[in-house]
Amino acid sequence: MLVKKFRLPVKEFLSKKPKSAKTSNFYFRYLPNQLSFDRAGVVISKKTEKSSARRNRIKRIIFEYFRQEKSKEKNIFKTGVDILISPAAKIFKLEAKEIIKIISKEIILIK
């Protein structure tokens, strides 16, 4: 799990009118921040997946991806960025390795 410092306060973030990008598997909302590091948040609607256990599994996988990127000491973006991720329903059918592979490819598209 990500350290609290790297997690995005979602309600505060949505009030700032972020930019958005949609890929086939994820919906990204992002804004540059005044910090030297990225912050990430994940929001999954009940309409997307009814089971809270499956929603939480996907959240853990996505946060784990960001945690691993932090441990590499490699910033995904040049400056600090707040990013909110909403996965599509078809993500719930995939394995963790496949999800990480997809998100690592698609997050580069929103630079």
Side-chain angles (χ1 to χ4, degrees):
M1 192 55 125
L2 273 178
V3 180
K4 188 169 185 173
K5 164 180 160 175
F6 298 122
R7 282 188 254 153
L8 180 66
V10 176
K11 289 183 182 179
E12 176 185 316
F13 176 75
L14 290 175
S15 66
K16 294 181 183 178
K17 309 239 182 199
K19 298 175 186 176
S20 62
K22 187 174 183 176
T23 62
S24 60
N25 299 300
F26 294 98
Y27 182 67
F28 298 100
R29 294 182 196 119
Y30 59 95
L31 274 176
N33 62 26
Q34 303 300 321
L35 307 170
S36 62
F37 51 88
D38 300 336
R39 295 188 298 181
V42 180
V43 174
I44 304 174
S45 167
K46 265 190 182 179
K47 287 182 181 180
T48 305
E49 177 59 49
K50 297 284 185 200
S51 170
S52 62
R54 293 182 73 196
R55 288 194 310 266
N56 290 334
R57 175 184 163 268
I58 298 298
K59 286 181 185 180
R60 284 192 305 272
I61 291 169
I62 293 171
F63 280 131
E64 181 64 19
Y65 165 76
F66 279 99
R67 190 188 66 75
Q68 289 173 353
E69 290 296 316
K70 296 291 180 207
S71 69
K72 293 178 186 174
E73 295 185 16
K74 179 181 94 175
N75 202 355
I76 297 170
F77 300 96
K78 301 286 187 236
T79 60
V81 172
D82 291 339
I83 183 165
L84 182 67
I85 301 170
S86 299
K90 60 185 168 181
I91 288 294
F92 291 92
K93 298 174 185 170
L94 301 176
E95 296 293 323
K97 289 180 183 179
E98 295 170 2
I99 294 170
I100 289 174
K101 189 185 298 183
I102 290 170
I103 196 168
S104 64
K105 287 179 185 176
E106 291 185 357
I107 203 161
I108 293 169
L109 297 175
I110 67 166
K111 281 185 181 182

